[in-house]
Amino acid sequence: MAEVNLRCACGTVQGKISSSSSKIGTRIICCCNDCQAFAYFLRQKENILDQYGGTDIFQIPMSFLTITEGKSQIACVRLSSKGLYRWHTSCCNTPIGNTFGGGGSFIGVIHNFMDNTETRDADLGKSRGYVFSQFATPPVPQPLKASSIKINFRMVTKILTWKLKGFSKPSAFFNNIGEPICEPQVLEKKHPKI
Ligand SMILES: [Zn+2]
Ligand SMILES: [Zn+2]
Protein backbone atom coordinates (compact mmCIF):
# COMPACT_ATOMS: atom_id res chain seq x y z
CA MET A 1 0.00 0.00 0.00
CA ALA A 2 1.27 3.42 -0.92
CA GLU A 3 0.86 6.90 0.42
CA VAL A 4 0.25 9.31 -2.43
CA ASN A 5 1.24 12.97 -2.26
CA LEU A 6 -1.20 15.48 -3.67
CA ARG A 7 -0.14 18.80 -5.14
CA CYS A 8 -1.70 21.40 -7.42
CA ALA A 9 0.30 22.64 -10.41
CA CYS A 10 1.66 25.69 -8.53
CA GLY A 11 2.21 23.86 -5.21
CA THR A 12 -0.08 26.05 -3.06
CA VAL A 13 -2.56 23.28 -2.30
CA GLN A 14 -1.07 20.05 -1.02
CA GLY A 15 -2.27 16.95 0.73
CA LYS A 16 -2.11 13.20 0.67
CA ILE A 17 -3.97 9.97 0.23
CA SER A 18 -3.20 7.93 3.34
CA SER A 19 -3.16 4.54 1.71
CA SER A 20 -3.77 3.51 -1.80
CA SER A 21 -3.69 0.34 -3.83
CA SER A 22 -5.56 -1.19 -6.74
CA LYS A 23 -7.56 -3.21 -4.20
CA ILE A 24 -8.69 -0.21 -2.17
CA GLY A 25 -9.56 2.23 -4.92
CA THR A 26 -11.10 2.06 -8.36
CA ARG A 27 -9.16 3.64 -11.19
CA ILE A 28 -11.15 4.38 -14.32
CA ILE A 29 -11.02 6.80 -17.22
CA CYS A 30 -14.27 8.72 -17.50
CA CYS A 31 -15.39 10.15 -20.85
CA CYS A 32 -18.74 11.51 -19.68
CA ASN A 33 -19.88 14.90 -20.91
CA ASP A 34 -19.71 16.40 -17.43
CA CYS A 35 -16.10 15.41 -16.81
CA GLN A 36 -15.23 16.87 -20.19
CA ALA A 37 -17.21 20.05 -19.40
CA PHE A 38 -15.31 20.38 -16.10
CA ALA A 39 -11.99 20.30 -17.97
CA TYR A 40 -13.28 22.98 -20.34
CA PHE A 41 -14.58 25.05 -17.45
CA LEU A 42 -11.10 25.02 -15.89
CA ARG A 43 -9.54 25.81 -19.28
CA GLN A 44 -7.30 22.82 -18.75
CA LYS A 45 -8.49 20.34 -21.34
CA GLU A 46 -4.98 19.76 -22.72
CA ASN A 47 -3.77 18.87 -19.24
CA ILE A 48 -6.76 16.88 -18.03
CA LEU A 49 -8.21 15.01 -21.00
CA ASP A 50 -6.45 12.22 -22.85
CA GLN A 51 -6.64 11.51 -26.58
CA TYR A 52 -10.25 10.21 -26.25
CA GLY A 53 -11.47 13.04 -24.04
CA GLY A 54 -11.13 10.83 -20.95
CA THR A 55 -10.21 11.85 -17.40
CA ASP A 56 -8.06 9.46 -15.36
CA ILE A 57 -9.81 9.19 -11.98
CA PHE A 58 -9.04 7.21 -8.83
CA GLN A 59 -12.04 6.66 -6.57
CA ILE A 60 -11.15 6.33 -2.89
CA PRO A 61 -12.84 6.66 0.51
CA MET A 62 -13.42 10.30 1.44
CA SER A 63 -11.57 10.05 4.76
CA PHE A 64 -8.41 8.76 3.07
CA LEU A 65 -7.74 12.19 1.56
CA THR A 66 -6.40 15.06 3.62
CA ILE A 67 -5.41 18.57 2.65
CA THR A 68 -2.34 19.83 4.49
CA GLU A 69 -1.65 23.15 2.73
CA GLY A 70 -3.61 25.87 0.99
CA LYS A 71 -7.14 24.93 2.01
CA SER A 72 -8.31 28.52 1.39
CA GLN A 73 -7.47 28.07 -2.30
CA ILE A 74 -10.00 25.27 -2.75
CA ALA A 75 -13.05 26.07 -4.86
CA CYS A 76 -16.01 24.09 -6.11
CA VAL A 77 -18.28 24.07 -9.14
CA ARG A 78 -21.46 22.14 -9.93
CA LEU A 79 -22.55 21.87 -13.53
CA SER A 80 -26.18 21.95 -12.36
CA SER A 81 -27.92 22.21 -9.01
CA LYS A 82 -28.12 18.41 -8.93
CA GLY A 83 -24.62 17.80 -10.24
CA LEU A 84 -21.60 16.39 -8.48
CA TYR A 85 -19.42 18.69 -6.43
CA ARG A 86 -16.36 19.23 -8.60
CA TRP A 87 -13.47 20.50 -6.52
CA HIS A 88 -10.52 22.40 -7.91
CA THR A 89 -7.93 24.93 -6.86
CA SER A 90 -8.42 28.62 -7.47
CA CYS A 91 -4.67 29.37 -7.46
CA CYS A 92 -3.96 27.50 -10.69
CA ASN A 93 -7.19 25.74 -11.77
CA THR A 94 -5.92 22.25 -10.99
CA PRO A 95 -8.81 19.77 -10.75
CA ILE A 96 -8.90 18.00 -7.39
CA GLY A 97 -11.77 15.56 -7.61
CA ASN A 98 -15.51 14.84 -7.66
CA THR A 99 -17.80 14.05 -4.74
CA PHE A 100 -21.45 13.71 -3.83
CA GLY A 101 -22.74 16.16 -1.22
CA GLY A 102 -22.07 16.10 2.51
CA GLY A 103 -21.98 12.56 3.90
CA GLY A 104 -20.82 11.09 0.60
CA SER A 105 -18.30 8.33 1.17
CA PHE A 106 -16.02 8.74 -1.81
CA ILE A 107 -13.97 11.15 -3.84
CA GLY A 108 -12.87 10.50 -7.39
CA VAL A 109 -9.41 12.07 -7.35
CA ILE A 110 -8.33 13.47 -10.70
CA HIS A 111 -4.87 12.53 -11.96
CA ASN A 112 -3.55 16.12 -12.19
CA PHE A 113 -3.72 16.52 -8.41
CA MET A 114 -1.67 13.38 -7.71
CA ASP A 115 2.04 13.99 -7.47
CA ASN A 116 3.03 10.53 -8.64
CA THR A 117 3.42 10.57 -12.39
CA GLU A 118 6.37 8.17 -12.20
CA THR A 119 4.79 5.64 -9.84
CA ARG A 120 1.09 5.98 -10.60
CA ASP A 121 0.53 2.49 -11.97
CA ALA A 122 2.35 0.96 -9.00
CA ASP A 123 0.47 3.15 -6.50
CA LEU A 124 -3.02 2.86 -7.91
CA GLY A 125 -2.92 -0.15 -10.19
CA LYS A 126 -3.56 0.14 -13.88
CA SER A 127 -6.78 1.74 -15.05
CA ARG A 128 -9.75 -0.63 -15.22
CA GLY A 129 -10.71 0.95 -18.51
CA TYR A 130 -12.88 3.63 -20.07
CA VAL A 131 -16.39 4.36 -18.83
CA PHE A 132 -19.07 6.45 -20.57
CA SER A 133 -17.12 5.81 -23.75
CA GLN A 134 -20.21 6.75 -25.81
CA PHE A 135 -19.12 10.37 -25.20
CA ALA A 136 -15.55 9.79 -26.35
CA THR A 137 -14.15 11.49 -29.42
CA PRO A 138 -12.58 9.77 -31.26
CA PRO A 139 -14.23 6.43 -30.31
CA VAL A 140 -12.41 4.33 -27.72
CA PRO A 141 -11.17 0.98 -29.10
CA GLN A 142 -13.25 -1.89 -27.70
CA PRO A 143 -10.44 -3.61 -25.70
CA LEU A 144 -9.83 -0.41 -23.70
CA LYS A 145 -13.42 -0.13 -22.48
CA ALA A 146 -14.34 -1.28 -18.99
CA SER A 147 -17.16 -3.79 -18.63
CA SER A 148 -19.91 -1.51 -17.37
CA ILE A 149 -21.67 -4.25 -15.37
CA LYS A 150 -18.47 -5.23 -13.61
CA ILE A 151 -17.26 -1.69 -12.94
CA ASN A 152 -20.65 -0.41 -11.77
CA PHE A 153 -21.01 -3.35 -9.40
CA ARG A 154 -17.54 -2.72 -8.01
CA MET A 155 -18.09 1.00 -7.52
CA VAL A 156 -21.53 0.70 -5.93
CA THR A 157 -20.35 -2.05 -3.58
CA LYS A 158 -17.29 -0.04 -2.57
CA ILE A 159 -19.22 3.18 -2.01
CA LEU A 160 -21.77 1.42 0.21
CA THR A 161 -19.08 -0.46 2.14
CA TRP A 162 -17.13 2.76 2.76
CA LYS A 163 -20.33 4.42 3.97
CA LEU A 164 -21.00 1.58 6.41
CA LYS A 165 -17.41 1.68 7.64
CA GLY A 166 -17.75 5.40 8.40
CA PHE A 167 -15.24 6.52 5.78
CA SER A 168 -17.41 9.55 4.89
CA LYS A 169 -15.77 11.43 7.75
CA PRO A 170 -13.62 13.28 8.35
CA SER A 171 -13.89 14.97 4.99
CA ALA A 172 -11.52 17.59 3.61
CA PHE A 173 -14.43 19.17 1.74
CA PHE A 174 -17.43 19.03 4.07
CA ASN A 175 -17.70 19.93 7.73
CA ASN A 176 -19.18 17.63 10.37
CA ILE A 177 -22.72 18.67 9.58
CA GLY A 178 -22.22 18.07 5.89
CA GLU A 179 -21.80 21.64 4.68
CA PRO A 180 -19.26 22.28 1.93
CA ILE A 181 -16.12 24.18 3.04
CA CYS A 182 -16.84 26.80 0.38
CA GLU A 183 -19.94 27.84 -1.54
CA PRO A 184 -20.06 25.93 -4.82
CA GLN A 185 -20.53 27.91 -7.99
CA VAL A 186 -23.59 26.42 -9.70
CA LEU A 187 -23.71 26.71 -13.46
CA GLU A 188 -27.40 26.84 -14.27
CA LYS A 189 -26.94 26.27 -17.94
CA LYS A 190 -24.84 23.39 -19.13
CA HIS A 191 -21.36 24.63 -19.83
CA PRO A 192 -20.74 24.36 -23.55
CA LYS A 193 -18.43 21.46 -24.19
CA ILE A 194 -16.79 22.73 -27.30
ZN1 LIG B 1 -2.14 25.91 -7.35
ZN1 LIG C 1 -17.33 11.59 -15.79
Side-chain angles (χ1 to χ4, degrees):
M1 263 183 269
E3 192 178 280
V4 176
N5 289 324
L6 304 170
R7 188 181 185 282
C8 67
C10 77
T12 304
V13 182
Q14 294 184 31
K16 66 172 197 252
I17 298 172
S18 55
S19 63
S20 120
S21 71
S22 64
K23 241 180 140 175
I24 292 173
T26 305
R27 185 178 177 195
I28 43 109
I29 303 177
C30 188
C31 295
C32 83
N33 266 342
D34 286 356
C35 285
Q36 295 194 53
F38 183 41
Y40 279 77
F41 168 80
L42 295 174
R43 291 187 222 92
Q44 294 281 348
K45 68 184 167 89
E46 295 80 9
N47 295 327
I48 299 171
L49 303 179
D50 71 6
Q51 67 269 41
Y52 303 110
T55 304
D56 190 352
I57 295 175
F58 187 52
Q59 219 174 65
I60 54 159
M62 180 69 101
S63 62
F64 284 28
L65 185 151
T66 48
I67 299 292
T68 51
E69 303 274 341
K71 217 165 180 173
S72 65
Q73 294 298 310
I74 292 176
C76 182
V77 67
R78 304 179 73 186
L79 299 174
S80 74
S81 54
K82 293 199 177 90
L84 289 177
Y85 288 71
R86 294 177 180 270
W87 302 91
H88 60 93
T89 69
S90 48
C91 43
C92 60
N93 273 3
T94 298
I96 294 175
N98 308 319
T99 68
F100 286 148
S105 65
F106 78 93
I107 173 162
V109 186
I110 294 173
H111 66 98
N112 304 71
F113 194 47
M114 288 182 268
D115 194 15
N116 67 345
T117 319
E118 304 292 313
T119 57
R120 190 164 297 155
D121 283 358
D123 296 344
L124 318 179
K126 284 204 186 310
S127 171
R128 290 170 190 269
Y130 283 81
V131 298
F132 290 108
S133 52
Q134 65 269 37
F135 298 106
T137 39
V140 176
Q142 193 61 35
L144 301 181
K145 295 181 188 172
S147 147
S148 53
I149 296 176
K150 252 167 114 176
I151 204 80
N152 285 338
F153 179 76
R154 179 185 170 90
M155 292 201 290
V156 169
T157 314
K158 289 259 176 205
I159 288 169
L160 290 176
T161 310
W162 295 340
K163 180 102 185 157
L164 291 172
K165 286 186 171 171
F167 290 164
S168 313
K169 286 180 186 176
S171 164
F173 306 99
F174 296 92
N175 66 19
N176 268 342
I177 53 167
E179 294 164 342
I181 57 164
C182 62
E183 191 61 38
Q185 179 185 355
V186 180
L187 305 181
E188 288 304 338
K189 282 186 198 148
K190 268 255 183 273
H191 195 74
K193 198 178 110 186
I194 295 167

